[in-house]
Amino acid sequence: LRDHGIEPTLEDWQREVEMLPERDHREFYRLFTAKWHGMLDECHGECVLKQTRLSEIVEENLRHMDGEKYQLEAFVIMLNHVHVLAGIPGRGEMQSLCRNWKRYTAGRINALLGKSGQFWQWESFDHVVRSPASLKKFREYILKNPIKARLKEGEFRAWAKPK
């Protein structure tokens, strides 16, 4: 990132990545996100979202304003992370919405676990969907994520808007 003049500690560093020339943008995601998602799919950590009541909190919150503030396309709640595909009116709204989802669900989940403090990672990985082909790619990635991670039925929650 720094080689391209992007400061990774800034809140909107991903916006800067989106502005890179296409070749550099693709190279970044090829090198960085493939490794990151691979580690997530290995299900490290406590994996508390395996608990039905805790994953229900996340699903309920995602569905809460669907059709009003955003349009859900698909989501999967894995053991230790969540993927969401949604139509959101603008980039600023996306960051705010993600913060709100995280804040609300972290508070509820921490209360049930008898914990406090950070629950989600501070950073979210977002991607801009630029075409019908891109939408299809992300939707398939999300829905195939539990299979790739070798999860069994009941260890995840997945939903997609009917085509």
Side-chain angles (χ1 to χ4, degrees), residues 47-76:
C47 298
V48 298
L49 296 177
K50 186 176 185 176
Q51 297 178 42
T52 301
R53 182 60 198 127
L54 303 184
S55 64
E56 282 175 349
I57 290 169
V58 176
E59 180 173 353
E60 289 164 4
N61 191 240
L62 291 175
R63 291 178 179 273
H64 180 68
M65 297 300 279
D66 180 27
E68 293 177 44
K69 290 192 174 188
Y70 49 87
Q71 299 293 322
L72 276 179
E73 179 68 27
F75 65 79
V76 63

Side-chain angles (χ1 to χ4, degrees), residues 31-41 81 121 123 125:
L31 292 172
F32 184 71
T33 59
K35 290 178 185 175
W36 177 257
H37 287 289
M39 289 173 54
L40 286 174
D41 291 341
H81 67 284
Q121 289 189 326
E123 183 58 59
F125 288 94

Side-chain angles (χ1 to χ4, degrees), residues 79-98:
L79 305 181
N80 60 356
H81 67 284
V82 177
H83 294 280
V84 181
L85 182 59
I88 300 170
R91 187 164 185 90
E93 289 85 7
M94 180 174 58
Q95 290 176 346
S96 175
L97 182 61
C98 287

Side-chain angles (χ1 to χ4, degrees), residues 14-15 18 29 91 94-95 123-128:
Q14 287 179 307
R15 183 170 183 258
E18 293 292 331
Y29 281 104
R91 187 164 185 90
M94 180 174 58
Q95 290 176 346
E123 183 58 59
S124 296
F125 288 94
D126 56 67
H127 304 276
V128 177

Side-chain angles (χ1 to χ4, degrees), residues 78-121:
M78 302 288 284
L79 305 181
N80 60 356
H81 67 284
V82 177
H83 294 280
V84 181
L85 182 59
I88 300 170
R91 187 164 185 90
E93 289 85 7
M94 180 174 58
Q95 290 176 346
S96 175
L97 182 61
C98 287
R99 274 191 224 111
N100 289 338
W101 282 334
K102 286 179 173 185
R103 186 179 310 114
Y104 178 79
T105 56
R108 296 269 319 271
I109 291 169
N110 274 340
L112 289 172
L113 294 174
K115 296 182 176 185
S116 63
Q118 184 175 348
F119 178 78
W120 300 105
Q121 289 189 326

